[in-house]
Amino acid sequence: MVSRLLQPQEIVAELMELLAIPSPTGRADRAADYCAERLQELGLEVRRTVRGAVLARVQGRSDSAPRVLTAHIDTLGAMVQEIMPDGRLRLSPVGGLLAPSCEGAYVTVLTRGAPITGTILPECASKHVFGPKYEEQKRTWAEMRLRLDLPVFCPDDVLASGVRVGDFVAVDPRAEHTPAGFVKSRFLDDKAAAAALLAAAREIVQGEQPQRTTYLHFSVYEEIGQGVPAGLPPEVEEVVSIDMAAVGAGQNSREDLVTICAKDSGGPYDWSVRQRLGALADLTGIAWTEDIYPYYSSDATGAVRCGRDVRIGLFGPGVDASHTHERTHAQALLGTAQLALAYLREDG
Ligand SMILES: [Zn+2]
C-alpha cells in the first residue's frame, strides 16, 4: 500500500532544494550535509564514510542479509585548468561534463574565499568581432572559456580575485518545475533519485518496523566511477542503485515512468533482483518499464567491479537529454519514491 504521505509536490520541493546546492564530484560535501541532516531529523542512525558518503541504517526486524539502496548526490562539474593571458579561464571537466552543452551556461567558481560567478563561452564569442569564426570554431574544452563576472583583464587580476588553478566550477542547474509537471534542470542525474530516496526514508520511519535491515546510501563520487563500494558494511548482500533511466530514440524509458534496468555497459543486473523489483512495482501500481542502456554504468556495478559478492539492481526515473539539458516528470519522481518504499518494506 502506498502512503498518502508520498506526494509528488513534496518530492519536487526536496529536489529543488538539492539542485540549489552546488555539488560537483569532489565538492559534494554540502549536499551530503543536507542529506545527513534530513536523515538525522528522522531519527535514523547516520554516519559519514571516510570519503564523505552518507550512510543511514533503517533497522529491520531481521539483520540477516542486509541490503543497500544508493543514490548519488555528486554531479558533473569542472575545474580551473589555466588562467589565460586575457584573464579568461580554460576549464578541465570533472566527470564528463560536455563542452557543447555548456555554451552560455552560468557558473560559480568555488574559491577558497567567496564564490565568484561567470559564464562559459566559446573563445570567439562575439559575432561582431569574429564574424564566421563564431559558427566555425569547435566547442571542445580547449576552445571554451570561463568569463568571470569581475573586472579582470590579465592573470594577475584573476589571482588577486582569489581564483586559482584547481578551483572547482559548479554549473548553475537552471531548475524549473513546469505547469505540466516536468522538472527541467541539469543534474537530475542523480538528484532526482536522491530526492525520491529521502521521501521514501521519511515514509519508512512513520510506519511499522520493516522486516529487513536496509542501509540508505548517498554517494559522492559516482560521476567518476568511484561511488559506492568504499564504506559499505561488510555484511551487505545486495546493492540497488537508484539512478536515472536513459530516455531517447530506441529506448523503452520515458520521463513519466520508472525504469528497471535489465543491462547496461557493465552487463546484466541480477535476475532475481529485477524480478522482485518488477513484482513490487506491479503490487504497488507503479507505471514502469524495463530497458537496456548502451552508454551507462551505475554505483551498483561499481560494487561488483571492486570485488564485492553482492546481488545488484538498478531502477530510477526517466531523464531525457542526460548529462546535458535534462528533464523528467513528477510522476517518475513519485513512482521512484514508491518503488524505493516498497523495497524498504519488502518481506522476502
Ligand atoms: Zn547517475
Side-chain angles (χ1 to χ4, degrees):
M1 190 184 71
V2 175
S3 163
R4 64 180 177 76
L5 294 176
L6 274 181
Q7 297 291 337
Q9 61 269 29
E10 284 183 16
I11 306 170
V12 171
E14 180 104 82
L15 172 56
M16 291 298 183
E17 297 244 1
L18 266 173
L19 288 166
I21 305 172
S23 58
T25 308
R27 286 296 305 274
D29 39 299
R30 277 184 54 214
D33 290 345
Y34 175 90
C35 293
E37 284 164 20
R38 298 290 81 74
L39 296 163
Q40 275 158 352
E41 285 166 5
L42 300 175
L44 291 169
E45 178 192 323
V46 181
R47 73 176 178 86
R48 299 291 277 274
T49 68
V50 173
R51 232 177 159 211
V54 177
L55 193 65
R57 181 184 172 93
V58 177
Q59 181 64 50
R61 291 192 291 276
S62 166
D63 264 344
S64 74
R67 304 94 47 89
V68 168
L69 263 183
T70 180
H72 68 91
I73 47 176
D74 62 311
T75 73
L76 307 177
M79 272 188 184
V80 177
Q81 164 93 62
E82 183 182 1
I83 302 170
M84 308 306 287
D86 62 357
R88 300 209 172 184
L89 309 174
R90 187 165 65 83
L91 301 179
S92 171
V94 171
L97 185 71
L98 298 158
S101 81
C102 291
E103 180 170 349
Y106 288 177
V107 300
T108 304
V109 184
L110 307 174
T111 72
R112 286 168 172 76
I116 297 171
T117 61
T119 306
I120 297 178
L121 298 165
E123 191 176 16
C124 303
S126 173
K127 179 70 178 163
H128 295 94
V129 175
F130 299 103
K133 266 195 193 166
Y134 177 80
E135 282 93 359
E136 290 160 13
Q137 70 193 315
K138 289 183 184 163
R139 266 71 173 171
T140 69
W141 285 115
E143 287 85 17
M144 301 297 266
R145 298 288 181 263
L146 197 172
R147 178 187 66 192
L148 292 168
D149 295 330
L150 290 174
V152 290
F153 307 102
C154 66
D156 284 346
D157 291 346
V158 174
L159 291 171
S161 78
V163 171
R164 297 277 185 281
V165 167
D167 282 349
F168 281 89
V169 177
V171 182
D172 289 6
R174 295 194 305 168
E176 278 185 38
H177 185 202
T178 76
F182 288 103
V183 179
K184 56 179 183 176
S185 175
R186 290 177 190 269
F187 313 137
L188 295 172
D189 173 13
D190 187 29
K191 288 180 172 173
L197 185 54
L198 285 173
R202 274 197 298 276
E203 195 70 14
I204 194 73
V205 299
Q206 311 264 341
E208 279 178 31
Q209 187 177 27
Q211 176 62 28
R212 302 175 62 182
T213 295
T214 306
Y215 292 93
L216 311 180
H217 182 267
F218 293 81
S219 80
V220 289
Y221 282 94
E222 193 274 350
E223 290 292 2
I224 56 169
Q226 302 169 1
V228 83
L232 280 192
E235 69 275 19
V236 161
E237 292 193 4
E238 187 167 288
V239 175
V240 174
S241 274
I242 314 180
D243 209 334
M244 52 140 284
V247 173
Q251 297 298 121
N252 256 351
S253 302
R254 266 184 14 198
E255 290 159 274
D256 56 347
L257 299 178
V258 176
T259 301
I260 296 168
C261 183
K263 172 180 174 287
D264 65 17
S265 308
Y269 284 85
D270 190 282
W271 171 235
S272 69
V273 177
R274 274 176 62 196
Q275 285 180 298
R276 280 169 37 227
L277 289 172
L280 287 170
D282 282 339
L283 267 174
T284 314
I286 296 166
W288 67 287
T289 186
E290 280 191 296
D291 208 352
I292 292 172
Y293 311 145
Y295 303 102
Y296 194 110
S297 189
S298 73
D299 265 342
T301 301
V304 175
R305 284 204 171 114
C306 286
R308 293 294 298 253
D309 182 22
V310 290
R311 292 180 299 277
I312 57 170
L314 169 64
F315 70 90
V319 171
D320 186 46
S322 59
H323 280 194
T324 63
H325 303 287
E326 297 173 350
R327 194 180 72 167
T328 189
H329 194 275
Q331 281 308 312
L333 298 173
L334 177 63
T336 300
Q338 289 172 334
L339 187 50
L341 182 60
Y343 180 84
L344 287 166
R345 286 180 173 157
E346 183 188 23
D347 275 341

